[in-house]
Amino acid sequence: MIRPRACSGALVSLAIFGLMGRAQPNRPIAHYYYPVSVAADSKGNVYVTGKGNKITKIAPDGVASDFAGDGLVRHRDGPGNIARFEDTQEMAIDASDNLYVVDYNKIRKVTPDGVVSTVAGGASSGYKDGVGAAATFTAPKYIAVAPDGRLFVVERPNGGTWTIRVVTPQGAVTTWRRGAAGDLALDPYGIAFEANGNLIACDGGRCIKRVTPDGSVTTIAGLCWKRKWNPVYKEGDVATAELMEPLHVAVSARGDIWVSDQRLHRVISVGGGKVATVAGNGKIDTEKSNIGGYADPGLLDGPAKQALFNGIEGIAFDRAGNLYIADTMNQCIRKLSAGGAVTTFSK
């Protein structure tokens, strides 16, 4: 079991969130809380969403400030200090430094000045295509910006069928692809784009897939659906490597594909025909009868392959090749420098 702890080492209460659900409407949270997604802009600022229903901005020197939202559970557009969110999830950033945030059943836009607007999604849930508030979503979770500026959104309802929707910057929503019972060709979670327009997806079959603009799907790493239970981690050739629980992916400016593995508490690279650990040293302790469970968590800065994490989620590259990591259960943001050192960037 993953235990939440602050980067200071103190355990953090879940009381006001129940089981990490939506924040209570009259209990604002200071800065981020259980960070789940990160994004870096062209100026070196890092943005964080979490369970606090606000967006936090972290300057290059590590100083955090509220950027948009006051932490109260409501839907309200407007300037950052007035806007409100309902249930902030993943976010992505475009070439002009606009943030796009999955917020309950809506897609919200936040400009570089912190002004919040609703791009698409109405008050109710559903799978209706349309423009703006006429479109409906059901359990949207993951989001990525394509090279042409369109937004791709993965919906993952509990017990339901996944859907990938495309949203134009003007708010027009169309269904791009939808799963079907027994279809194992694609089971997308976290997504990101390569410069040529290919979509990279962490797959529920414990592997990584590439989807071309015309919809063709290929496996680029891992043995999909080999182990439904008791997964293992095996580095090496992409054709024989095995992954445990890859949930988030980031693609660097030079084309590096890195994924975060929430069970193993590691960042893993896929490239050059190989799967390899980039950061983290989480291990499954077989003496604890925890085979196929979670690796032992920790909190340790230092050389990348000696660092320890706890339930990492979203990851994002900046323009300099540094990687920012939402170390969710450690309640902080970690930075993996291009030189290979892990530090605690914000806590």
Side-chain angles (χ1 to χ4, degrees):
M1 175 180 178
I2 299 179
R3 296 190 72 198
R5 64 175 65 235
C7 274
S8 64
L11 292 180
V12 179
S13 172
L14 296 178
I16 67 171
F17 286 89
L19 295 175
M20 288 183 66
R22 297 170 67 189
Q24 299 300 311
N26 59 349
R27 301 281 299 274
I29 302 300
H31 303 320
Y32 55 82
Y33 191 79
Y34 285 99
V36 298
S37 185
V38 289
D41 69 15
S42 61
K43 299 177 178 62
N45 300 300
V46 175
Y47 301 87
V48 183
T49 58
K51 296 300 179 182
N53 285 315
K54 61 173 65 176
I55 298 173
T56 301
K57 179 179 180 178
I58 308 174
D61 61 2
V63 175
S65 61
D66 291 337
F67 182 62
D70 61 8
L72 302 183
V73 181
R74 292 289 187 274
H75 174 266
R76 187 164 70 190
D77 290 338
N81 62 333
I82 294 176
R84 288 181 177 174
F85 298 89
E86 294 179 88
D87 186 17
T88 51
Q89 299 286 332
E90 307 291 325
M91 66 179 166
I93 194 166
D94 69 12
S96 299
D97 289 341
N98 296 300
L99 294 169
Y100 293 92
V101 184
V102 175
D103 180 36
Y104 195 41
N105 287 327
K106 302 177 181 68
I107 307 301
R108 313 286 294 279
K109 176 182 178 179
V110 188
T111 69
D113 295 327
V115 178
V116 180
S117 60
T118 301
V119 178
S124 61
S125 61
Y127 293 101
K128 183 180 177 182
D129 290 341
V131 179
T136 58
F137 296 88
T138 298
K141 172 66 174 175
Y142 303 98
I143 187 169
V145 180
D148 62 6
R150 293 180 300 160
L151 312 175
F152 282 61
V153 179
V154 178
E155 296 165 90
R156 297 224 45 123
N158 289 332
T161 301
W162 62 263
T163 306
I164 298 179
R165 314 283 285 284
V166 177
V167 186
T168 68
Q170 296 76 34
V173 179
T174 55
T175 298
W176 188 60
R177 189 172 182 131
R178 192 174 189 190
D183 179 10
L184 302 182
L186 184 65
D187 187 21
Y189 283 79
I191 57 174
F193 277 92
E194 296 179 295
N196 61 4
N198 290 330
L199 183 145
I200 304 299
C202 292
D203 192 273
R206 308 188 193 282
C207 55
I208 309 300
K209 299 282 184 74
R210 174 180 281 125
V211 187
T212 62
D214 66 4
S216 299
V217 181
T218 56
T219 300
I220 62 172
L223 300 177
C224 299
W225 303 105
K226 178 181 179 180
R227 303 175 195 267
K228 184 175 181 179
W229 311 110
N230 299 324
V232 301
Y233 176 58
K234 179 182 176 183
E235 296 183 328
D237 189 278
V238 293
T240 56
E242 296 189 49
L243 301 170
M244 292 189 67
E245 192 172 354
L247 285 182
H248 298 81
V249 59
V251 179
S252 73
R254 66 180 189 180
D256 301 316
I257 299 171
W258 289 5
V259 301
S260 62
D261 192 307
Q262 192 179 43
R263 281 178 182 258
L264 198 57
H265 314 307
R266 295 191 190 192
V267 177
I268 297 166
S269 67
V270 178
K274 301 291 183 182
V275 169
T277 296
V278 176
N281 194 31
K283 295 180 176 65
I284 298 293
D285 189 343
T286 58
E287 297 301 319
K288 294 181 179 179
S289 300
N290 193 30
I291 298 174
Y294 286 88
D296 285 339
L299 174 60
L300 180 67
D301 290 339
K305 292 185 180 181
Q306 297 176 24
L308 295 175
F309 302 92
N310 188 1
I312 57 178
E313 293 204 32
I315 55 177
F317 285 102
D318 66 13
R319 305 305 197 269
N322 302 302
L323 186 79
Y324 294 90
I325 303 162
D327 195 352
T328 304
M329 303 310 286
N330 276 330
Q331 295 275 346
C332 52
I333 305 302
R334 313 286 289 281
K335 177 180 179 180
L336 171 57
S337 72
V342 173
T343 55
T344 300
F345 180 62
S346 173
K347 60 184 178 181

